Amino acid sequence: MRRLILMLTSTVLACLIAAGISAANPPVAEASGGGKAKKCGGGQILLNAKERTTFHRHNNIRKNRNLKPLCVHPRLQRAARAHSKDMVQRNYFSHRTKGRNEDAGARLKRFGYQWRLYGENISGGNGAKGSPRNVMRRWMNSPGHRANILDRRFREVGIGTYTGTYKGYQGWTMYTVDFGTRR
């Protein structure tokens, strides 16, 4: 009997520890409220919460203006994420990659996206200023950014966010949205 109680106690303790570890290290996209979005060519792609919300906001704005929705292209997605991360980690804000003679178009080609037409929106902020809602609001109030969002020629997009310390501001989220039309 004593042995049975010890085994049951050990099993319950092991389950509690495993549940605690699982709760402490959940998958990134699920933990942050992210999820899947429509991938170009079929299927779905996993986005983090800010990326997914930004993607849905783009498509809601387009839908309200009778424009076709965007789909996420994996190569644009990788390029956008990499650019957001690079800008935070190396403390700069530009469509041009720091230290390279590379604009957004060259960067997209480096990530394997052969474009006929491209556009890029970047933004960032911490706290409420770094929320997808406020970033989208700023873009829609800016003629150039708004034009990219509403351009009917764009059907493919990559939305990349990265949160870290940027120029001394903790919790800064950088956004890169790469729009494209392939050759």
Side-chain angles (χ1 to χ4, degrees):
M1 183 66 143
R2 182 179 243 170
R3 188 177 230 178
L4 180 62
I5 292 172
L6 183 59
M7 281 180 51
L8 285 173
T9 304
S10 296
T11 303
V12 169
L13 184 59
C15 288
L16 289 172
I17 289 170
I21 290 170
S22 176
N25 298 310
V28 175
E30 292 176 20
S32 59
K36 294 180 180 176
K38 183 181 175 190
K39 185 171 99 175
C40 303
Q44 297 186 324
I45 190 166
L46 193 61
L47 303 178
N48 70 39
K50 289 180 180 177
E51 292 167 347
R52 187 168 184 245
T53 299
T54 304
F55 175 70
H56 287 301
R57 286 185 175 277
H58 275 81
N59 278 336
N60 286 337
I61 288 167
R62 290 173 65 90
K63 180 181 177 184
N64 290 338
R65 287 159 180 85
N66 295 316
L67 297 170
K68 291 184 179 180
L70 300 166
C71 60
V72 179
H73 191 284
R75 290 180 181 175
L76 289 174
Q77 184 67 24
R78 284 193 300 274
R81 281 181 173 161
H83 192 55
S84 289
K85 182 177 181 178
D86 189 52
M87 286 190 292
V88 170
Q89 290 184 338
R90 297 197 303 141
N91 286 308
Y92 73 99
F93 183 78
S94 176
H95 293 285
R96 297 191 71 79
T97 305
K98 185 177 182 179
R100 288 182 173 224
N101 186 22
E102 180 180 71
D103 64 7
R107 184 177 343 101
L108 297 180
K109 284 184 179 181
R110 179 167 50 92
F111 277 86
Y113 188 81
Q114 298 303 313
W115 53 267
R116 180 171 48 85
L117 179 69
Y118 75 90
E120 183 175 78
N121 290 351
I122 59 175
S123 187
N126 64 345
K129 289 183 179 181
S131 72
R133 179 182 191 177
N134 286 321
V135 167
M136 287 299 298
R137 184 177 292 138
R138 288 193 303 270
W139 282 336
M140 289 303 289
N141 288 324
S142 164
H145 295 103
R146 180 185 176 94
N148 282 339
I149 294 166
L150 300 179
D151 192 325
R152 66 182 62 250
R153 297 171 297 174
F154 291 138
R155 295 294 309 284
E156 298 179 334
V157 70
I159 299 174
T161 65
Y162 185 81
T163 302
T165 301
Y166 173 73
K167 295 192 176 187
Y169 293 97
Q170 294 182 351
W172 186 278
T173 300
M174 195 69 77
Y175 290 75
T176 301
V177 178
D178 287 321
F179 301 89
T181 302
R182 284 182 279 171
R183 290 184 191 176

